[in-house]
Amino acid sequence: MPAEHSPASLPVAAARRRRLRADQARQLADLLRHQILTGGFPGGVLPLEDAIAADYRASRNTVRQALDLLRGEQLVDRRSGVGTVVVCEKYPHALDRLQGLAETLHEHGRVTNEVRTVGPVGAPGPVARRLGLPDHTDVLCIERLRRLNGLPLSLDLSYLPMDVGGELLGCDLENTDVFRLLETLTGGPLGHADMTLEAVNADAHSAAVLEAPRGSAVLMLERLTHLPDGRPVDLEFIRFRGDRITMSGVLRRSA
């Protein structure tokens, strides 16, 4: 005889089934997202739900829930007579090379910079220490809104020692990466960078400048770049719109 379920166990079993379906939808959404971001759907049109279900061995309900997740991320949308289409392109930012934004995204369009702040400021203690300077030493502070093909992409705040950064004051900061300018001024390539990447909630200022919803998640890249001799020369705090950028790289396991 089949086992009888007590009334108390029925809601628990139903909750487990719902959680399983939600897990499957999330897992399918991850697979579809990768296909979307790597150009896996010709013309930006996803297959019909039945085809997705067959290809990924998922139920129709799971496919619908997965597509709902991607619509919530504003990656896809449903269009009458067409189906599910990609509506938001994300741009790849490499993590395994030290490059400026214009260098990284040159294949995807033109990067321009709106210089919002530029000038000397007294370095806060943590900034001064990261740059190897005495507390409250003047540093050059640059804040720029960076756009790709006119769309807001990142808000960059940079601190540089004045003996190097001061020479940037007469340079074209609107159309040239700071890395390029530093290499021109120092007469050689930059060395290496220490980097941290995390997700943070957009504050009111960042959200307004990036034209993103207040409180939405942004990718915050903290990067300290050094000259070849090891001297720290550029401390950056870069907030990227998470719906317009992906971070990628090739990592190798050492022996």
Side-chain angles (χ1 to χ4, degrees), residues 3 6 35 39 42 47 63 74-77 99-100 102 109 162 166 168 183:
S6 67
Q35 291 287 92
V63 172
Q74 299 182 345
L75 275 179
V76 302
D77 199 6
Q99 293 182 310
M162 283 304 298
L168 297 178
E183 289 179 331

Side-chain angles (χ1 to χ4, degrees), residues 93 99-113 144 146-148 153-154 156 174-180 223 240:
H93 187 293
Q99 293 182 310
L101 193 65
E103 295 173 309
T104 301
L105 300 179
H106 72 278
E107 296 179 355
H108 302 282
R110 182 167 179 256
V111 174
T112 56
N113 308 303
R144 295 168 297 160
R146 314 200 72 184
R147 300 177 185 269
L148 177 63
L153 186 63
S154 70
D156 300 13
E174 293 186 352
N175 298 292
T176 314
D177 279 337
V178 167
F179 282 179
R180 288 280 191 189
R223 183 169 60 194
F240 290 99

Side-chain angles (χ1 to χ4, degrees), residues 23 80 83 226:
D23 288 342
S80 177
H226 303 255

Side-chain angles (χ1 to χ4, degrees), residues 130-203:
R130 295 288 300 280
L131 291 172
L133 302 171
D135 287 1
H136 310 303
T137 301
D138 277 357
V139 295
L140 182 70
C141 176
I142 306 172
E143 184 181 75
R144 295 168 297 160
L145 171 62
R146 314 200 72 184
R147 300 177 185 269
L148 177 63
N149 298 326
L151 292 175
L153 186 63
S154 70
L155 181 62
D156 300 13
L157 182 64
S158 303
Y159 298 99
L160 303 98
M162 283 304 298
D163 63 323
V164 175
E167 298 187 55
L168 297 178
L169 289 171
C171 295
D172 184 7
L173 293 169
E174 293 186 352
N175 298 292
T176 314
D177 279 337
V178 167
F179 282 179
R180 288 280 191 189
L181 295 173
L182 286 175
E183 289 179 331
T184 298
L185 293 172
T186 60
L190 296 168
H192 71 281
D194 305 312
M195 182 183 67
T196 301
L197 179 66
E198 62 181 319
V200 300
N201 291 333
D203 59 275

Side-chain angles (χ1 to χ4, degrees), residues 35-59:
Q35 291 287 92
I36 291 169
L37 298 180
T38 55
F41 298 119
V45 180
L46 276 65
L48 297 177
E49 290 179 1
D50 285 343
I52 295 175
D55 193 22
Y56 291 90
R57 297 185 177 182
S59 70

Side-chain angles (χ1 to χ4, degrees), residues 13 19 61 124 252:
R19 186 173 69 243
N61 282 339
R252 293 179 173 83

